[in-house]
Amino acid sequence: MLGHAGTKRCHGSIKEMERIFGVSYPTVKSRLNRIARMLDFVETDPAPSRADVIERLRRGEITAQQAVAELEGRA
């Protein structure tokens, strides 16, 4: 019932999905959450590679302390 076609048709508006599908807001949210849990998400902002960090350090774009933080995943 809900899914990509439904959200596209409603431009992502949960209130609009309520109206079109004839279900309550909590029902729409619950079903969208269930769909979201089934999806494999791709990291949209992956951590920089070790080589990238070292190259930025070499060029003087970041400090040694920043490089260490990025390499340890604390940036």
Side-chain angles (χ1 to χ4, degrees):
M1 180 170 120
L2 297 177
H4 179 71
T7 57
K8 186 162 180 74
R9 180 173 159 193
C10 299
H11 304 282
S13 168
I14 294 175
K15 288 288 187 187
E16 185 67 12
M17 284 186 252
E18 269 185 282
R19 188 184 67 73
I20 289 174
F21 297 117
V23 295
S24 69
Y25 184 95
T27 300
V28 174
K29 285 288 289 182
S30 173
R31 291 179 182 173
L32 289 174
N33 286 337
R34 192 172 358 154
I35 292 167
R37 284 191 302 272
M38 295 166 48
L39 299 174
D40 288 327
F41 289 99
V42 175
E43 181 66 49
T44 58
D45 190 18
S49 72
R50 181 178 173 87
D52 288 340
V53 173
I54 292 170
E55 182 59 25
R56 288 175 39 228
L57 175 62
R58 188 189 66 73
R59 290 191 307 252
E61 295 175 6
I62 58 175
T63 66
Q65 188 173 13
Q66 289 169 317
V68 169
E70 285 191 28
L71 292 170
E72 291 178 346
R74 297 178 297 168

